[in-house]
Amino acid sequence: MPRKLDWIVSGWALLAGILTFLIVLVTTINTAAFGADKIARLFGENVAGLAGYEDFVRLAISAVALMFFPYCQRQKGHVAVDLFAERFSLRTQIFLERIILLLTVCVALFLAYWMTLGMISAYEDFASSPILGWPNWPFYVPGILSLFLWAVVALMQLRRKP
């Protein structure tokens, strides 16, 4: 795999990890506020949670969910059925791997196409989060980029000589 693509895939996964950390941090803060509110109510006080917490988490997870796929593909960390395939000849195993990589490219591009249509629809409908009012369509972009990157990684693996 080209070094530049490897760098992009690793950086993309790192960005996904940072966003995941932010999701956990915001969830922890909101949970602590919920607990603090229960205690404060005993004294007639109130502690508010984070406004728009659910909006942020929903939108961030929708972006992060696919961002790990290219890195996982690069590491060949995807689900593999080795229980019965390891008994096949090396030639058959290579053939199966090639078919699976080709299907992966097709599936990733198919999903990218439909996500692009979904993003266009969200943009045209002015879809936004209920509390924060953030537009939904920009949160499709990381998923679409991730799907294209996933397809490129699988394509590079497919082009590689066995």
Side-chain angles (χ1 to χ4, degrees), residues 85-99:
E86 66 186 13
R87 301 190 197 284
F88 295 152
S89 69
L90 182 58
R91 188 174 180 184
T92 305
Q93 289 179 27
I94 291 169
F95 175 75
L96 283 174
E97 182 179 12
R98 295 243 182 258
I99 293 296

Side-chain angles (χ1 to χ4, degrees), residues 2-114:
R3 189 175 182 95
K4 189 169 186 171
L5 180 60
D6 190 46
W7 184 82
I8 291 169
V9 167
S10 296
W12 196 246
L14 182 62
L15 179 60
I18 292 168
L19 290 172
T20 302
F21 175 75
L22 289 174
I23 292 167
V24 170
L25 181 65
V26 167
T27 301
T28 302
I29 290 169
N30 201 53
T31 304
F34 178 74
D37 186 51
K38 292 291 184 188
I39 294 170
R41 286 180 186 218
L42 296 173
F43 302 101
E45 297 296 325
N46 189 2
V47 176
L50 298 175
Y53 155 77
E54 296 88 353
D55 285 357
F56 169 75
V57 170
R58 180 182 62 85
L59 293 171
I61 285 176
S62 71
V64 168
L66 294 172
M67 290 177 74
F68 289 109
F69 277 42
Y71 182 81
C72 187
Q73 181 68 44
R74 188 195 85 193
Q75 298 295 97
K76 293 197 173 207
H78 53 290
V79 176
V81 183
D82 290 332
L83 297 174
F84 69 91
E86 66 186 13
R87 301 190 197 284
F88 295 152
S89 69
L90 182 58
R91 188 174 180 184
T92 305
Q93 289 179 27
I94 291 169
F95 175 75
L96 283 174
E97 182 179 12
R98 295 243 182 258
I99 293 296
I100 290 168
L101 285 170
L102 183 60
L103 286 172
T104 300
V105 171
C106 292
V107 165
L109 292 176
F110 176 78
L111 292 173
Y113 169 76
W114 284 105

